[in-house]
Amino acid sequence: ASYLQTSAWSMVNDNDPHQQSFVRVVIREGGGIVAGFQLTVRRYFKMGNIGFIFQGPCLRYPEPKYYDLVAASMKKLLKSENLLYLAICLNYAYSGLAEHLESRKFFKAYPGMPPIINTKATVLLDLTLSENDLFEQLDAGRRRNVRKGEKFKFDTRLGTRNDISTFYSLMLHTCNQRGVDPLIAYVDYFYSVW
């Protein structure tokens, strides 16, 4: 589970607590919890209700059977909470969930629709490939930028726990330059997952 699925995070991350509510969905099977998520409903004046599920759902078993239970629960909430739009920022841990939801008539987000996430892209690399093969998979512009960087003698190395504060400072600087709030507001989170 992610801290983004907690009520406390949603309250901290909100500008007007009177304009939102929370719905927790717990799916049980055989006496145990198999899936669940927290829906944050925000009310926008003259627009209506928009639902957000951050880093959810949480699943005990990442299997299509449970994906279906989650999808059905989400669809019920669309009606019961009178949502105009439901934004789901999926947890990366569940490969195949996005495709499964699309097969159940959920759609990928339209550009510019909330929530606006600071990270604009995620890259998955096949680390079984050689460094040269990985380099060749980059588009021409990125290869040019890497070569340009090599001329300036930049060093790269694996980071350690000791680098977290430097990374965090750079992240805050980047967010400040872009005029956005950091997705992860506290450096302690990085230490907790290291």
Side-chain angles (χ1 to χ4, degrees):
S2 169
Y3 73 94
L4 292 170
Q5 272 287 295
T6 65
S7 303
W9 174 256
S10 291
M11 285 186 275
V12 165
N13 197 29
D14 185 40
N15 296 327
D16 187 354
H18 302 291
Q19 297 301 315
Q20 75 176 8
S21 60
F22 309 100
V23 178
R24 288 166 199 86
V25 174
V26 177
I27 301 170
R28 298 177 188 275
E29 181 181 76
I33 297 174
V34 294
F37 57 90
Q38 175 174 283
L39 170 72
T40 301
V41 179
R42 293 198 179 154
R43 291 167 200 80
Y44 293 93
F45 180 68
K46 292 188 178 182
M47 192 166 126
N49 297 341
I50 296 181
F52 298 94
I53 299 173
F54 293 102
Q55 290 296 307
C58 300
L59 296 141
R60 176 168 288 172
Y61 309 107
E63 299 171 5
K65 168 184 170 181
Y66 301 109
Y67 293 171
D68 280 336
L69 293 172
V70 165
S73 296
M74 290 176 182
K75 285 191 175 196
K76 284 181 188 174
L77 284 172
L78 283 167
K79 291 181 182 177
S80 68
E81 296 297 320
N82 196 27
L83 299 177
L84 295 173
Y85 181 80
L86 172 61
I88 308 165
C89 297
L90 296 174
N91 189 313
Y92 290 118
Y94 308 119
S95 62
L97 178 56
E99 293 81 7
H100 194 86
L101 289 174
E102 284 184 70
S103 76
R104 300 301 184 265
K105 299 188 180 184
F106 285 81
F107 299 96
K108 288 186 177 180
Y110 297 104
M113 290 297 288
I116 306 300
I117 302 297
N118 299 346
T119 305
K120 301 295 183 197
T122 298
V123 177
L124 297 176
L125 299 175
D126 180 356
L127 297 179
T128 62
L129 297 175
S130 70
E131 187 175 328
N132 287 335
D133 289 340
L134 285 171
F135 187 73
E136 289 304 314
Q137 288 183 356
L138 295 175
D139 63 60
R142 292 197 195 285
R143 287 195 304 269
R144 183 181 62 251
N145 289 341
V146 169
R147 287 187 190 108
K148 188 176 179 181
E150 288 173 336
K151 291 178 185 177
F152 293 103
K153 304 293 183 198
F154 285 103
D155 289 326
T156 58
R157 63 176 173 77
L158 290 176
T160 68
R161 184 177 176 87
N162 294 334
D163 297 313
I164 290 175
S165 63
T166 302
F167 164 78
Y168 187 71
S169 295
L170 291 169
M171 183 191 79
L172 291 178
H173 180 73
T174 301
C175 289
N176 188 41
Q177 282 183 321
R178 292 180 180 177
V180 298
D181 293 328
L183 184 60
I184 298 171
Y186 303 102
V187 70
D188 294 343
Y189 172 76
F190 294 103
Y191 288 107
S192 72
V193 296
W194 185 264

